[in-house]
Amino acid sequence: MDFGLTEEQRLWQKTVHDFVAAEVQPRAQETDETGEFHWPAVRKMGPLGLLGLNIPEAYGGAGVDAISAAIAIEELGWACGSTALAVAAHNGLGTTPLVLYGSEALKRKWLPLVASGKGKLGALALTEPGAGSDLQGIQTRAVKDGNEWVLNGAKMWCTNALIAEYIITLVRTDGAGGSRSLSMILVPTDTPGLKIGPPEKKMGLKGSPTSAVTYDNVRVPLDNLVGEEGRGLQQTLATLDGGRISIGAISLGLARAAFESAVDYAKQRHAFGAPIASFQAIQWMLADAATEMAAARYLLYYAAWRKEQGLPYTQEAAMAKLFASEMGERVCRNAMQVFGGYGYSRAYPVERMYRDARLMTIGEGTSEIQRMVIARHVLRER
């Protein structure tokens, strides 16, 4: 199925696939086992455009369309969940707020560096120990002191913090509370008072560092405000819409890799005198996987198309993320089932893929949050 892709998009897909097959996939198991970020491959992604998917060419990025961005992230997910998550978080969360809302000075200072592969990546800090899905519960504060912001507080589950040039931080700038009390502020990671914790010990995605971050009288210029003061919540929600397409794309990539492994194994493995691919129980799992992956891709491409056209896509992104992430977990689970006992062993990659896929129903809005978003739109429309 070509899903109506243009010739340029198909060429882009092949280019990215060939790159990740050569540079990323061979190290996926090692990346998982060591927990080391795969810098050698990521450095090479800059010239290819993979570190500037959403960044205009004027700032050193590739500026590809939204469907092409989803294609790239899917291919990365196919190759290595850890690397895919870090690159997706960099593009979707670490650079998008700057592209959409940053001042010209901030864009010119930071975007060429993080898009090139010569510097580190971008990161976005939202979640706190007492505020996850409820962003209005954020307590990290920033107050003005002369020509500087002074930040104090703590964040957690910050993807890329340890490998970032800067962390765009959602903070409370107005003590009165409400939707106009939050703002985004860019904090370079070498700023005094900023402390980034060690990588969290996670079930999967071990090569994508996730850390707690603390702000102890961290001072940055007032000009480091990203967008409008008091519009941080609205900017964050808009950023997350695009990020959800990326999470869905990673899920699809992981599912595709697990599915391909399961198909190959089912043809090779014999039981009761025949390849297990000849058994209906196996065939049905593979048929369900193929069908669900196709449905997920249509949902993702439709959400990406609406984004590219400048149309509202919050509901569509939530639907795509919900379905693709839950589909990814099912497909990876059933791929393990096809492998039987071997699927539970690290001798085969489906075990790693299943662990990696598990996060996708949690990160960037849980499945429950996606259902709330969808329900609100459905009820409003009626």
Side-chain angles (χ1 to χ4, degrees):
M1 298 181 185
D2 67 5
F3 296 90
L5 299 181
T6 66
E7 183 62 32
E8 184 177 0
Q9 289 167 338
R10 286 194 292 271
L11 178 60
W12 167 251
Q13 185 175 45
K14 183 181 186 305
T15 300
V16 177
H17 179 81
D18 290 348
F19 172 81
V20 300
E23 300 288 345
V24 180
Q25 188 193 45
R27 284 273 300 273
Q29 194 71 16
E30 179 184 350
T31 297
D32 177 71
E33 291 178 358
T34 64
E36 295 179 3
F37 185 62
H38 193 0
W39 272 120
V42 173
R43 295 290 186 208
K44 297 177 182 178
M45 292 181 191
L48 193 63
L50 292 174
L51 301 182
L53 295 174
N54 305 319
I55 299 175
E57 294 181 10
Y59 303 103
V64 300
D65 64 273
I67 292 178
S68 294
I71 287 170
I73 299 301
E74 178 193 337
E75 293 300 332
L76 281 161
W78 173 85
C80 173
S82 291
T83 307
L85 182 63
V87 173
H90 160 75
N91 280 289
L93 305 180
T95 68
T96 293
L98 269 186
V99 171
L100 295 179
Y101 311 112
S103 67
E104 187 66 18
L106 285 178
K107 290 178 183 178
R108 295 209 172 274
K109 180 175 182 179
W110 296 106
L111 291 179
L113 175 62
V114 298
S116 67
K118 298 176 182 178
K120 297 180 183 179
L121 304 182
L124 175 65
L126 303 176
T127 305
E128 297 185 358
S133 297
D134 180 13
L135 291 177
Q136 295 200 57
I138 280 175
Q139 296 301 312
T140 299
R141 297 182 180 275
V143 298
K144 294 177 182 177
D145 182 19
N147 62 352
E148 293 180 316
W149 292 104
V150 183
L151 286 72
N152 283 282
K155 298 287 184 179
M156 61 187 301
W157 299 116
C158 183
T159 303
N160 289 354
L162 279 168
I163 53 173
E165 292 284 352
Y166 59 79
I167 301 173
I168 297 175
T169 307
L170 186 63
V171 295
R172 189 168 298 282
T173 50
D174 182 349
S179 62
R180 297 281 299 184
S181 65
L182 301 175
S183 304
M184 285 180 161
I185 296 177
L186 185 148
V187 180
T189 51
D190 60 357
T191 306
L194 182 72
K195 181 179 180 182
I196 301 171
E200 298 286 351
K201 296 179 179 180
K202 302 176 295 187
M203 172 181 175
L205 301 162
K206 297 178 181 179
S208 171
T210 307
S211 304
V213 183
T214 58
Y215 304 76
D216 182 10
N217 289 321
V218 171
R219 291 178 171 269
V220 298
L222 292 180
D223 289 343
N224 279 27
L225 179 71
V226 178
E228 297 179 40
E229 183 176 348
R231 294 287 296 173
L233 179 60
Q234 292 78 8
Q235 294 171 186
T236 297
L237 294 176
T239 298
L240 289 175
D241 283 343
R244 285 165 182 164
I245 296 175
S246 293
I247 292 294
I250 296 174
S251 301
L252 180 56
L254 287 166
R256 199 179 100 219
F259 171 77
E260 291 172 1
S261 294
V263 169
D264 291 343
Y265 184 79
K267 290 179 177 180
Q268 299 166 6
R269 173 71 169 177
H270 283 66
F272 307 104
I276 63 173
S278 67
F279 302 149
Q280 190 177 67
I282 301 297
Q283 291 177 356
W284 283 15
M285 283 192 282
L286 298 178
D288 286 347
T291 302
E292 291 189 333
M293 287 191 297
R297 184 170 282 111
Y298 276 119
L299 285 168
L300 287 164
Y301 285 4
Y302 180 57
W305 176 83
R306 289 186 65 91
K307 176 185 178 183
E308 186 66 25
Q309 298 301 312
L311 299 170
Y313 69 101
T314 297
Q315 178 182 354
E316 290 76 14
M319 287 178 167
K321 196 267 188 187
L322 171 66
F323 185 84
S325 62
E326 294 193 347
M327 173 280 301
E329 188 177 348
R330 281 193 300 273
V331 171
C332 290
R333 179 264 185 199
N334 285 340
M336 291 180 67
Q337 202 74 5
V338 170
F339 276 82
Y342 286 119
Y344 199 65
S345 164
R346 292 195 177 186
Y348 290 89
V350 291
E351 173 268 347
R352 164 175 52 83
M353 295 166 188
Y354 178 77
R355 288 187 289 105
D356 287 351
R358 186 63 189 89
L359 173 76
M360 304 306 160
T361 63
I362 300 171
E364 292 200 37
T366 63
S367 288
E368 292 72 27
I369 288 295
Q370 305 311 317
R371 288 184 167 92
M372 287 172 56
V373 170
I374 296 164
R376 285 176 186 154
H377 281 77
V378 169
L379 293 169
R380 188 182 304 135
E381 289 170 2
R382 296 292 295 174

